[in-house]
Amino acid sequence: MANDRQPDDLRRGLPMVQARDPEALEREKERLREIGARPRPWMRWRGYWSLSGPGWVQSALTLGAGSAGSSIFAGAVFGYKLLWVQPVAMFLGVAMFAAIGHQLLTTEARPYDVFRKKLHPALAVSWGAAVLLASIVFQFPQYSLGVSVARDIFDVAGLAVPRAPIALSLLVAATALCWSYGRGSRRAVRLFERALKYLVLLMAFFFLLVVLKTGIDVKALLKGFFGFHLPRDREGLTIVLGALGAAVGVNMTFLYPYTLLARGWGKEHRGLKDFDLATSMFIPFIVTSSLVVVACANTLHVQGIRVRDAVDAAHALAPVAGVTAGRVVFSLGVLGMCFTTLAIEMVICGFVLSEMLGFEPRGWRYRAATMTANVGLLGAFYPTPFWLPVLASSVALVMLPVAYVGFFLLQNKKSYLGEAVPRGLKGTVWNVVLVLAILVVAAGALVKLLSLV
């Protein structure tokens, strides 16, 4: 394969895979060959389910304060009308992530090094810096919202708990979960992914309980998904942009390929990669965010109630859905969204700084790097407008087109992918979808910039 792949050309793989568990990885590859030989798709899907993982990390990251804020506002202000936004945004994001995964599984090269050597060093540095900045900024609303909803849950039980113990508890728990990812083995990575998987499913279950209590308007639901209503006022446009930014952020473009490297995935994992993106990233995000929109549409929108934050939303839900479903369960779902994002933003900071500063993502330096994200702990102690997560997501949207363009160029770069460059009808369709994804995020970024003038 004419692929310009000299041994010292690009850094490949991660030490957590290279140094340990090679036999377990080989057994997994053998199992994948057996699954791939099964004659029916559903037979393959059943085998893939137990091996999925990186997609759950992306779901847990994107289901954070930004998604909660965008979904609550969308449901409260527009009812069911903006249900289409999350599926469209995530579909385009998954298409781009499928391209990123294709490149990673073909070369097993570290993307930061690829950007630096195959595109331009300045592009790599600006991408890494944007991801680092976004991950730190996004921690502020996670701590702010997480502490607020936790205090409200305690308030239902008649307990007045100060902010500091809750914030420190979140910090300790998120750090423990994050550091489990950097212990240097595939087993630790799998346990981390499995924990996030169950936390995401638990979030969806909490919001489902609220929706079952308030009911579903099926006709409005279908119209919301397929009516493609686009608000024309500034507030509505900001909500849409916030939803787009919260669905796929620039930090996810960095995290996703490194989660694949951490699992040691290669060419044998291509079928599993596509299944993982669909079932572990696309579907959980769409289901969970849509449940939040529907719950708020059923209660806040029909009563004309405007809320400032998730605590207000939970209080407004209580008279309709009851204190347990409306206030406690809804708040638990929001708390879960914040907690998982806290841990993963730390992982991202660890990966980014290790690549930019040239050390391996393990040991004390990696752990120290992950802690830079927790500057956002200050968000727990100072008033944070509920619009901040939405606005932060919109700002991240401005940074996103750069990363998308970079991966698009790599997808068509023969000196990098060799014969693995997609060709024919498949390659054309893929490129059209990727260009559409770039145009959508670029248009969103332009509108956001103009709105700030």
Side-chain angles (χ1 to χ4, degrees), residues 308-325:
R308 294 170 300 169
D309 53 31
V311 176
D312 281 355
H315 280 254
L317 284 166
V320 180
V323 172
T324 300

Side-chain angles (χ1 to χ4, degrees), residues 59 145 162 172 178 185 199 220 233 275 298 347 383:
S59 289
L145 186 58
V172 171
C178 167
S185 72
L199 283 170
D233 61 290
F275 175 87
N298 289 345
V347 172

Side-chain angles (χ1 to χ4, degrees), residues 64 96 113 135 139 192 249 269 282 291 334 342 380 382 386 418:
M96 184 60 71
D113 207 39
S135 295
Q139 288 294 73
F192 177 84
H269 294 79
F282 183 80
L291 287 171
V334 174
L342 283 174
Y382 297 95
F386 187 51

